[in-house]
Amino acid sequence: MKNFKSIALALVAFVSFAANAQSKKVDVSKSKINWVGKKVTGAHEGTIALKEGAIVFKGKKVVNGNFTVDMTTINTTDLEGKGKANLDGHLKSDDFFGVEKFPTATLVFKTIGEKSNGVYAVTADLTIKGITNPIKFELTVDGNTASTTLKVDRTKYDIKYGSGSFFSDLGDKTIYDDFELTVKLVF
């Protein structure tokens, strides 16, 4: 009987939380993810599409979030023609993101702390190529939008091509380990 009361109490608490929480689906057609990858001799930039996502609010505070990125949409925007096609193809290959085997990447919020009104310190699990690692970033929420910038160490996801951390004598062919994502979500 005591166990039943504990289970009933836990269920009431969960239902109460769920009733107060509101999930807002991200409008993927209006949301944007831009990427920048740098190398010794310069940088490349582009876009990648969000497949789906939601931010969960309790009142006006963010309490959760989860997102799926369509890795097959990697698109270089600073090149045209053959150079663009070659780089897009290489980024989608097993040297980098292996999109044939891993067509999506995910980000799932784990802990959220409010830093100031509308600004949150988020720790999330980022999964790329089936490998999950924690990542920390600030999320700014303003009305029906949220934005952030994330720095991702690609080598933590077994993306070592051209990395000076793993290969010597690359010279000016070295590609830096970190890439940056600038994200604007509309919900």
Side-chain angles (χ1 to χ4, degrees):
M1 188 69 163
K2 186 176 182 182
N3 233 3
F4 178 72
K5 284 183 183 178
S6 296
I7 293 170
L9 200 56
L11 186 58
V12 167
F14 174 75
V15 169
S16 170
F17 173 78
N20 291 331
Q22 178 187 11
S23 180
K24 294 188 178 184
K25 188 175 179 179
V26 173
D27 184 338
V28 296
S29 68
K30 293 180 181 174
S31 299
K32 295 188 182 315
I33 302 173
N34 294 308
W35 59 264
V36 175
K38 296 179 180 177
K39 56 186 179 176
V40 171
T41 58
H44 289 293
E45 59 188 59
T47 60
I48 190 163
L50 191 63
K51 185 173 182 176
E52 61 187 1
I55 298 180
V56 180
F57 291 85
K58 187 172 184 182
K60 292 185 177 187
K61 295 187 181 203
V62 174
V63 295
N64 208 336
N66 59 74
F67 310 90
T68 302
V69 175
D70 182 353
M71 297 302 290
T72 67
T73 65
I74 294 172
N75 177 44
T76 305
T77 57
D78 66 319
L79 296 173
E80 294 180 358
K82 187 175 180 182
K84 172 185 169 34
N86 287 343
L87 183 55
D88 286 352
H90 197 198
L91 291 172
K92 292 176 184 179
S93 78
D94 290 339
D95 281 346
F96 285 93
F97 296 99
V99 303
E100 191 173 304
K101 186 174 180 185
F102 303 101
T104 61
T106 60
L107 181 77
V108 178
F109 291 4
K110 291 299 181 185
T111 62
I112 302 163
E114 190 170 17
K115 293 184 76 171
S116 62
N117 191 22
V119 179
Y120 300 87
V122 178
T123 300
D125 280 346
L126 177 61
T127 303
I128 300 173
K129 291 179 74 171
I131 300 167
T132 302
N133 286 292
I135 188 166
K136 294 181 179 187
F137 56 91
E138 282 189 6
L139 179 73
T140 302
V141 178
D142 183 16
N144 68 338
T145 66
S147 59
T148 190
T149 299
L150 296 90
K151 285 197 184 283
V152 180
D153 179 349
R154 65 190 176 96
T155 64
K156 290 182 176 181
Y157 303 92
D158 197 32
I159 305 169
K160 298 175 183 169
Y161 182 87
S163 169
S165 299
F166 292 89
F167 303 99
S168 58
D169 300 327
L170 291 172
D172 65 1
K173 303 273 189 222
T174 301
I175 302 167
Y176 297 124
D177 293 345
D178 290 340
F179 65 91
E180 189 172 280
L181 299 173
T182 304
V183 182
K184 182 171 183 181
L185 304 172
V186 179
F187 44 88

